[in-house]
Amino acid sequence: MLDGVRWIALLFLTLGLSGCKSVHVERWVPASSSEIWSVLMDGSGYGAWNPVLVEADGAFREGGTMAYRMMTPDGTTTPVEAEIRRLEPGVELNQSGGLPGILTFDHHWILESVEGGTRVIQHEDYAGVGVLFWDPGWYEEAYARGLEALEARVAERRAERAR
């Protein structure tokens, strides 16, 4: 019996290390990376524009932890904690979290200056045995809506400054 338990544990460990899925969305935004970055770094304003992470609490700093409330497709919210692994102002915000071996995420906001604006990329990798039983497709749709909302928030801030 013990050999069976070890075999099952080894199977789950192998699956946990090998399971991987990703989502990727990007959008050209007619604004500077610094304008976009200021919206991304304003955690208190997430509820005004972000359809996925509707609350953000903590300080955006490398090595720090952010506490979010994530809106799920059924309209409920769930807490999510993320460690900030990399923060390069105006360029990249990389956060990760989850339960190692079960389901983890590695999320990137990447800002690339291009002619007439900024290419904004959200890329997230998921790993662990949980990805074998889980479809992250709704994240891709939600992140695409989030990029639209981010663009609108940047334009709104620009209009407020012009007044």
Side-chain angles (χ1 to χ4, degrees):
M1 181 73 175
L2 190 56
D3 287 340
V5 171
R6 286 183 186 161
W7 184 85
I8 290 171
L10 180 61
L11 175 65
F12 272 92
L13 177 63
T14 301
L15 290 172
L17 295 174
S18 63
C20 186
K21 292 184 181 176
S22 298
V23 297
H24 182 95
V25 294
E26 53 185 80
R27 183 177 182 90
W28 175 80
V29 176
S32 70
S33 61
S34 63
E35 289 175 291
I36 295 165
W37 190 256
S38 71
V39 172
L40 290 177
M41 294 296 104
D42 178 16
S44 66
Y46 270 48
W49 68 270
N50 196 319
V52 179
L53 301 175
V54 296
E55 291 180 25
D57 187 35
F60 285 103
R61 64 176 173 73
E62 205 163 292
T65 300
M66 292 295 294
Y68 296 102
R69 300 275 323 153
M70 181 180 67
M71 180 76 69
T72 61
D74 66 4
T76 61
T77 61
T78 186
V80 175
E81 283 197 5
E83 178 186 345
I84 299 175
R85 298 174 63 192
R86 183 165 189 252
L87 189 140
E88 185 176 342
V91 178
E92 182 180 12
L93 171 61
N94 174 217
Q95 304 175 90
S96 65
L99 298 169
I102 305 298
L103 183 62
T104 60
F105 64 89
D106 184 17
H107 184 272
H108 298 261
W109 283 97
I110 301 168
L111 307 180
E112 297 176 351
S113 293
V114 294
E115 187 174 333
T118 304
R119 178 180 297 116
V120 182
I121 299 166
Q122 278 197 82
H123 183 88
E124 191 162 53
D125 293 316
Y126 309 95
V129 70
V131 300
L132 301 172
F133 311 101
W134 176 67
D135 177 12
W138 76 269
Y139 281 95
E140 195 155 11
E141 295 169 15
Y143 287 172
R145 286 192 322 273
L147 292 182
E148 291 173 18
L150 174 63
E151 180 178 353
R153 180 67 175 147
V154 169
E156 187 178 285
R157 280 187 163 187
R158 186 181 282 171
E160 289 170 358
R161 283 193 310 271
R163 290 184 199 144

